[in-house]
Each structure stands twice: as structure tokens, then as C-alpha cells.
Amino acid sequence: MSLPEPRHATSADGTRIGYYSVGSGPGLALVHGSLQSAVSQLELAALLSPAHTVHLVERRGRGLSGSMPAATFRTEVEDVRAVLAATASRDLLGISTGAIIAARTALVDDVRRLALFEPPLPVDGSVRLDLVPGFLAALDAGDLPRAMAVSMRLAEMGPPWMFGLPAGILAAVSRRMLARDDTRPLSPGAVHVRELVLALRADFAVVTESAGTAAEHAALTVPTLLLEGTRTRPYLRTAVAALAAAPPR
């Protein structure tokens, strides 16, 4: 489908947060995950569009939205709240890291219904948070290929056999990926992989700050739908199970 005209909301700190609106009906804000931008979920928005006006939130550090000077969980929640207010939406769908942000938003805002797909919420050491300092060090040094390599292991991206490869090999693969991506023409609304890797700082801040908070979601009073894939990673199943045991609805 063609890309709609971008819109903007203003977050609590004055930063402009972009979003695209698709469909008709009650508003549904959709918060994407790591290594994604708003247009990553355009096909999903099209499927939901007959029953909802889907507002695809562009998280900070990507395309339509302002930069993230300091990656904080609270800032990301305020950004989603700004889009909810601007669109008068009360339904919220979060994917991956966006699901953690969506759940926290529902704890502090007037959300009617909530759907969460595979939130990478750390539960009893289920996520390799010990790898985060290495990722941040590589990012601060400007070594994006190594940062990508560490993030692959941390988030278990790709087939399982990849996780056992030496970091140097993963970094070499990442270097070629970045080189190809930097030279390709971008489709409307898309962003380069380099930009998405830099934005991972915010994703890992969300994941780190949410460690051990599963029980806090017992305060959720809205109907909540939890989703997981049939072949998903064990740490994601652990998170979904922990959340399923928390909210009363």
C-alpha cells in the first residue's frame, strides 16, 4: 500500500514524534520494536485498517521523529502518550521492545485495550544483560559492526547456529550488511540499517530498565492480549508467561 502523509505529535519534552495513520474506525496506536521503524508494520496496519485507524508510531532516533539525547524508558512512554493524545486513541499494540513500552504506557494512561507481541522483558536472568556494556562500548567507539554482532547475541537474532560464531565473524557479516545498506536507495519512509543500529541504545535501555518488573503489571486493569510466535526464543516465552500470570484481565 502507498505510504500516507506523515503526522506529528509533541512529546512532554517538546520533541516531535512522527506517525502515519492508516484505515478508519477507533484509533489504535502501534509501537514498533528494535531494528524497525514505523513503516516496518505497514502491512499489519493494512490488515487492521478495516476496523481501526492504525497510528504507526515512529520511535525516536528514526526518520520522522526527533533524536534521543538520553535513552530512557520514561521518555519513550511519554512519546507514546503524546501520540495517543494527539489521535484520541485508546487501543494500544506493542511489538517486541515496543510491547514493553506499550505495557508501561497502559499503566499510566487511559488505555482501553492492550495487545503485546513478544515483549523481551527480562525475567530471572532470561536476557543476557551482561552483554549490554560491550554493545554500548562498541557503539560509543563508533564500531557499528561489532555493536551489531553483540546485539545479535544479546537478542538472539537469526538462526541459533549463528550465536556460537566468533564475534569477529559476526562483525564481518555486519560490516558487509552496513556497506550494502548505505548504498541502496531507500523506499518511502524507510531508514538505513545504520540509523536502526544507533537506535538500539534506546531499545537496550528499555529492556535493562524493565528487568524484574513483570509483577508490576498486575496493576494493569485493561483487557490485555499476549501473543507469541510458535518458534520464538525461550526468553520471549518466559516473558510472555510471566506477564500472563500478572494482569487480572
Side-chain angles (χ1 to χ4, degrees):
M1 66 179 298
S2 59
L3 193 65
E5 288 295 316
R7 302 179 183 184
H8 289 87
T10 302
S11 193
D13 65 356
T15 300
R16 277 162 53 94
I17 304 300
Y19 62 94
Y20 299 101
S21 298
V22 179
S24 60
L28 167 65
L30 194 161
V31 189
H32 65 75
S34 59
L35 293 178
Q36 295 182 340
S37 63
V39 298
S40 299
Q41 305 301 333
L42 193 57
E43 290 185 11
L44 175 57
L47 290 171
L48 296 170
S49 63
H52 301 276
T53 302
V54 183
H55 305 290
L56 295 163
V57 181
E58 184 99 284
R59 289 171 57 202
R60 293 194 189 207
R62 303 159 178 84
L64 297 179
S65 296
S67 61
M68 176 75 81
T72 67
F73 198 171
R74 177 176 296 181
T75 301
E76 296 251 36
V77 170
E78 290 301 328
D79 294 348
V80 175
R81 296 185 73 184
V83 175
L84 288 173
T87 61
S89 299
R90 295 185 59 211
D91 291 345
L92 187 55
L93 165 60
I95 294 173
S96 186
T97 314
I100 298 179
I101 298 167
R104 182 60 58 173
T105 302
L107 285 170
V108 296
D109 211 318
D110 184 22
V111 172
R112 182 182 65 158
R113 293 183 302 179
L114 178 66
L116 309 174
F117 178 74
E118 296 191 348
L121 191 75
V123 179
D124 297 331
S126 60
V127 179
R128 292 287 308 275
L129 295 180
D130 59 301
L131 297 177
V132 173
F135 165 80
L136 294 175
L139 208 60
D140 291 340
D143 190 349
L144 294 192
R146 183 167 184 83
M148 285 183 67
V150 177
S151 69
M152 287 179 192
R153 285 183 167 174
L154 200 161
E156 298 183 11
M157 303 176 193
W161 58 264
M162 286 185 62
F163 310 149
L165 292 177
I169 293 178
L170 289 175
V173 172
S174 301
R175 188 173 294 108
R176 288 196 294 271
M177 185 187 305
L178 286 166
R180 287 197 305 269
D181 187 73
D182 286 344
T183 58
R184 70 181 175 90
L186 288 178
S187 57
V191 298
H192 282 299
V193 171
R194 182 176 301 274
E195 192 173 352
L196 298 179
V197 174
L198 292 171
L200 279 172
R201 183 188 297 272
D203 287 286
F204 291 147
V206 168
V207 173
T208 300
E209 290 180 44
S210 65
T213 65
E216 296 177 12
H217 295 84
L220 282 173
T221 58
V222 300
T224 302
L225 175 66
L226 290 162
L227 301 162
E228 65 182 16
T230 56
R231 298 185 182 181
T232 197
R233 301 290 184 242
Y235 77 94
L236 294 172
R237 287 191 182 280
T238 297
V240 171
L243 286 178
R249 300 180 67 188

